[in-house]
Every structure is written in C-alpha cells, then in structure tokens.
Amino acid sequence: MHIKENMKMADVIQMNYMLIPVIHRFGIELGFGDKTVAQVCKDSVVDLNFFLQLVNAYHDQDYFPKEELQTIPVREIVAYLKMTHASYLNNTVTEIEQKIISLEQEGSEDKKYIALIRNFFEGYKTELTDHIMREEDVVFPYVLAVDEILKTEQFTGKNKEVFESFSIEKYEEEHDDIEEKLMDLRTIMIKYVAPPANTNLYHSIIQDLFRLEEDLNYHSRIEDKVLIPKIILMEKSIKNLF
Amino acid sequence: MPRISILIAESTCLIRKGLSSVIQKLGNVEILQSVSNKVELCDVVNRLKPDILIANPDMLDSNCEDLKKPFITANKMSLILISEDKSIEAKYNAEAFVHYKDDQSKILELIEEIVNQKAEKNRTNKSNDTLSSREQNILKHIALGLTNKEIADQLFISIHTVVTHRKNITQKLGIKSVSGLTVYAILNNLISMDEVK
C-alpha cells in the first residue's frame, strides 16, 4: 500500500516503524495526533512531494516513481542523504560500538571473542566511513554541479571541472554493498559464538545490527532508485543542451 | 538450507495470486515470479531456473509431452499442473495435480511433499555444511591474508581450484568477507590471534 498525503501520519508510522528515524531526519517529531501527512509536512516545512517519494521508496521495495522523479529538487535529496549519513556515524554505529565495548569491559572468559567482534566492527566502521566520505566528497558535489549547470544553463570554470571529472555511471558501478560485512558479523554472532554472560546486551547488539542493515538497505534504495535515475536524466539533458 | 524456488504460470489473476498466497504458508519456499502469458514462460524459466513449475496446461504449448521431456528435465524442474478438470491427469505427465476444488490443506500437503523431496535432493548434493580438511587449510591461508594466487602457489593447485574452494567455504559458512572468515578461523582455532596481521 502506498503512503498518500491524506493518510494520517500516525497510521503511516503504525504501518512501518522503520520510518521513525526517517521522519526524525526530516525534523518531524512524534506526537502528531490525527494530523495527515500533508498537514505534518506543512507544519514542519517539509516538501510534501519529496517526503512522499522518499517514504514510499523506503516502504515499498518495488516503488519506482518515474514521473515524480523530475519534480524532486536535487538539493533536498542530497541534504537528506547527508543527514542520514550523519545519523549513522554519530548515532547508530557509535551506539553499537559502545555496547560492544561495554560487553568487553564486563570481562569474562569470553573476553577474547568479544575483542574479535569489536575489531571486526571497527573494521566495518572504517569501511562505512570511507564509503560515506567518498559520497560526500565526490558524488554529492558532482550531483550538485549537475543541478547547477542545468538550472543556470551554463558552465562555469568550477562546475565544468567537477562535471568532467566524474559521471553517475561511475558511481553506479562502484556503489558496492556495504552490508556484506554487517551480514557476516551477525552470522558469526548467531552461528559461531557462544554468547557471553550478559546475554541481554549480546542479543540487543544483534538486533541493532539487523536494524542498521535494514536501514542501510533503505538508504541505498533511495540512492539507487531516486538519485541515480534522476541524475542520469539530468546528464542527458545537459548533453542535449550543449 | 537454501529455499526452494517456485514459478507459477497461470493466466487467471485470481488463481495466480490465490495460489501464491496459499504457498507462502510453506516456510522454506520462495515464489520467484508469476507468469501470465505463454510467450514469457520459456524465457523466465531459463532465466530464473525454478525448482518447481506450477502451470496451467493452457499455458503450455499444445503438446505438453514435448515440453515435459526436454524442457522440464533439462532444467531439473518438478512440474505441477493446475486444472479444473480431473481428466487432465490421464492426459499429462506431471508430478502432481492441483484442482480448483482442492482445499488449502490438500494443496499445501501436495506441494510440501514435492518441496521436501527437492530439499532432500539439494542437501545430499551438497554433502554437509562442515568444512573438509582441504577447505579448512584453504580457509587458514585466506585468514592469514594470502591472495588467491599466493594460496595456489603454496599448495600447488590452480587459482581456479582456490576460487572454487573459496566459493564452497563461503556457501557453507554463510560468511563472505575476508575479515569475517578470519574471525571464524580464530574462533575455530585454525589460526591464532597473533598470526593475524
């Protein structure tokens, strides 16, 4: 079922709780009573169309808003993706790391195994950070340059350089899945390690890993299904323009 | 355990969707896709290689016998036919038949039996999930950070063999990344923690 503007925001969240962090990134807080999606967006000064495309792409794997793509402002998408990145690095990943560290500090005979898990997770964190930095340093500036060229219909020295140094096709190719290591970690924790004394904490780490993986999946879908197709169209328009 | 994949070929939307929602109740199956016209069928089968094909005879070419022999066996599929008419059982050669009037438990029972047979076959094909000593040895080298080429040279085998072993190891353990395999190797005392660079 697609999320529509006249639905109650509360019903949307009841339908898919994974959207809680998503609306939070838009600056929308819970406690919206019976307000519809449209009203909540208006109150929080959020672009309604963009919001709908985004939550639907999150919510439904097969959702692909072909026509609507044209109307979503690139700046909004980039700003949103950046917010997501920040929330991964500053909150989610750090929280999981903290949990692993406190598990390790409880010190038991399993200490050695927990150290292995911590090392592994730190390796993952580095990989994720690199991945995110690459997007923020190379991909997003490129995307914004494409947007600027198309809007002003002219090249400047700066945006021409950025435009020629990269293409969204390159990004599509290199956009590997950063979830592989995450999946490995939870497989190891579920299949191959006997849980330490503090099973509650151990279980909650596994659940966090599942949630992070799911959220990352959603996140990549926005990049692959909303951002990339839109930029491909824009690249074509630029080629036709000049 | 790998899931058994099922392809449904039926032109009536109601039956297609209905059957697919009934089958979802079986735990270890995956419905690949539903096909609603004849033309697509061969193409989809070749592309997706389902374990089981559930089809309405109307969807098959007039001579079903033809389709059964080369097409079904070549793809190692089990064929289940859907029909309103009991007389098709005499006409066609399939592993099972689903009739319009069958109730849910009957349909499930029938499909489950074939799914279990398939799963059993898959399991025996792949022996078991524990690593052979050869694989353990390769895993040890992977965990020590050696490349495929280096492993091949040290063990006097071809790179191709190393790659095949790696694939099997990953499949058996469910771990893809080198760092994940390293953790597994340490946990299982194939290497010690100090050996890891």
Side-chain angles (χ1 to χ4, degrees):
Chain A
M1 187 168 116
H2 285 165
I3 295 161
K4 302 203 177 63
E5 57 181 294
N6 54 6
M7 283 171 73
K8 285 182 186 173
M9 187 64 105
D11 290 342
V12 172
I13 300 299
Q14 301 268 18
M15 198 158 76
N16 185 347
Y17 71 90
M18 288 293 290
L19 292 172
I20 294 176
V22 178
I23 63 163
H24 179 74
R25 284 167 209 150
F26 273 104
I28 299 173
E29 291 306 335
L30 298 177
F32 17 67
D34 284 322
K35 283 184 188 162
T36 62
V37 170
Q39 284 167 326
V40 173
C41 282
K42 198 169 165 233
D43 293 349
S44 306
V45 204
V46 169
D47 184 304
L48 177 65
N49 177 43
F50 175 50
F51 182 83
L52 285 174
Q53 301 317 323
L54 196 94
V55 289
N56 277 311
Y58 255 73
H59 179 65
D60 175 5
Q61 301 221 5
D62 302 320
Y63 185 72
F64 191 75
K66 260 190 202 129
E67 289 98 44
E68 289 85 351
L69 271 179
Q70 300 280 5
T71 58
I72 306 174
V74 171
R75 280 184 178 281
E76 300 257 0
I77 304 179
V78 169
Y80 173 79
L81 291 174
K82 277 189 173 171
M83 248 176 332
T84 327
H85 285 162
S87 93
Y88 288 145
L89 294 184
N90 300 339
N91 305 326
T92 328
V93 170
T94 323
E95 276 164 27
I96 298 176
E97 198 179 20
Q98 282 309 320
K99 283 186 186 177
I100 299 177
I101 290 172
S102 61
L103 198 60
E104 196 185 4
Q105 280 165 351
E106 290 190 1
S108 59
E109 68 282 13
D110 319 295
K111 207 169 180 175
K112 187 180 121 186
Y113 298 148
I114 307 299
L116 271 179
I117 290 175
R118 181 176 47 77
N119 275 334
F120 188 92
F121 190 74
E122 269 160 16
Y124 171 73
K125 189 182 168 186
T126 315
E127 198 174 284
L128 180 68
T129 311
D130 289 349
H131 179 100
I132 287 176
M133 284 312 165
R134 167 96 181 141
E135 285 181 2
E136 305 227 334
D137 293 344
V138 180
V139 183
F140 294 166
Y142 171 77
V143 163
L144 293 174
V146 168
D147 188 40
E148 188 185 283
I149 294 166
L150 207 57
K151 261 189 200 143
T152 56
E153 298 197 357
Q154 60 184 339
F155 281 115
T156 61
K158 191 160 170 277
N159 68 26
K160 188 165 197 280
E161 191 189 327
V162 179
F163 183 70
E164 281 167 357
S165 68
F166 195 70
S167 80
I168 207 70
E169 209 174 278
K170 266 193 207 158
Y171 173 60
E172 227 179 338
E173 276 167 25
E174 70 180 23
H175 198 215
D176 46 359
D177 72 289
I178 36 171
E179 288 108 63
E180 186 181 285
K181 271 198 175 155
L182 215 50
M183 292 193 304
D184 282 357
L185 181 56
R186 80 166 141 79
T187 304
I188 289 170
M189 290 178 76
I190 293 170
K191 279 178 84 178
Y192 303 113
V193 177
N198 190 345
T199 45
N200 273 343
L201 188 54
Y202 191 74
H203 294 170
S204 110
I205 293 171
I206 296 179
Q207 286 167 344
D208 286 350
L209 290 175
F210 270 108
R211 264 195 297 269
L212 174 59
E213 196 181 312
E214 205 175 336
D215 201 17
L216 280 169
N217 262 324
Y218 284 147
H219 175 75
S220 326
R221 232 169 29 232
I222 304 292
E223 293 173 339
D224 295 342
K225 291 199 160 177
V226 180
L227 187 65
I228 293 180
K230 186 171 170 71
I231 302 301
I232 289 176
L233 287 175
M234 291 171 83
E235 281 176 343
K236 273 192 198 137
S237 320
I238 292 180
K239 290 210 176 88
N240 291 336
L241 210 60
F242 299 99
Chain B
M1 190 172 65
R3 308 216 290 176
I4 301 297
S5 56
I6 299 181
L7 183 74
I8 300 178
E10 157 68 54
S11 52
T12 324
C13 161
L14 271 177
I15 297 179
R16 205 165 59 230
K17 300 252 157 136
L19 190 60
S20 125
S21 90
V22 169
I23 294 174
Q24 297 284 8
K25 294 190 192 299
L26 292 173
N28 56 339
V29 299
E30 171 189 18
I31 309 228
L32 291 175
Q33 195 179 333
S34 305
V35 183
S36 57
N37 74 68
K38 242 184 232 181
V39 194
E40 280 178 62
L41 183 59
C42 275
D43 174 51
V44 173
V45 168
N46 284 328
R47 201 153 38 81
L48 300 175
K49 306 261 178 240
D51 295 312
I52 300 175
L53 171 65
I54 304 183
N56 190 317
D58 309 343
M59 294 282 297
L60 308 172
D61 278 325
S62 53
N63 192 346
C64 186
E65 214 37 51
D66 240 22
L67 192 138
K68 170 94 180 158
K69 283 269 151 48
F71 191 59
I72 305 279
T73 40
N75 285 298
K76 294 193 185 121
M77 280 189 301
S78 295
L79 180 66
I80 299 177
L81 292 179
I82 325 167
S83 173
E84 189 178 6
D85 176 7
K86 290 228 175 213
S87 70
I88 59 155
E89 296 197 17
K91 247 189 339 209
Y92 297 108
N93 194 0
E95 291 188 33
F97 295 90
V98 173
H99 298 289
Y100 288 3
K101 286 187 179 151
D102 289 348
D103 59 15
Q104 175 163 312
S105 57
K106 171 124 195 266
I107 297 174
L108 282 176
E109 202 176 297
L110 179 145
I111 295 174
E112 193 167 23
E113 195 188 317
I114 294 182
V115 166
N116 287 343
Q117 282 170 13
K118 282 270 160 194
E120 192 55 41
K121 232 180 243 165
N122 281 355
R123 206 172 305 141
T124 40
N125 281 348
K126 276 181 202 125
S127 65
N128 54 35
D129 290 343
T130 49
L131 297 184
S132 67
S133 54
R134 188 56 155 180
E135 284 163 350
Q136 288 192 1
N137 193 15
I138 305 254
L139 174 58
K140 192 176 150 183
H141 286 79
I142 296 172
L144 291 172
L146 272 67
T147 64
N148 286 347
K149 170 114 186 27
E150 287 165 340
I151 299 174
D153 288 348
Q154 280 201 14
L155 301 177
F156 304 106
I157 52 178
S158 73
I159 292 196
H160 181 74
T161 313
V162 178
V163 171
T164 310
H165 280 305
R166 269 186 103 127
K167 236 199 240 151
N168 292 339
I169 293 170
T170 293
Q171 201 181 16
K172 283 183 179 177
L173 300 181
I175 303 174
K176 283 189 191 148
S177 63
V178 173
S179 40
L181 291 169
T182 308
V183 172
Y184 176 88
I186 298 174
L187 287 172
N188 288 276
N189 299 317
L190 293 173
I191 56 170
S192 74
M193 233 187 256
D194 325 320
E195 285 178 272
V196 186
K197 275 162 239 160

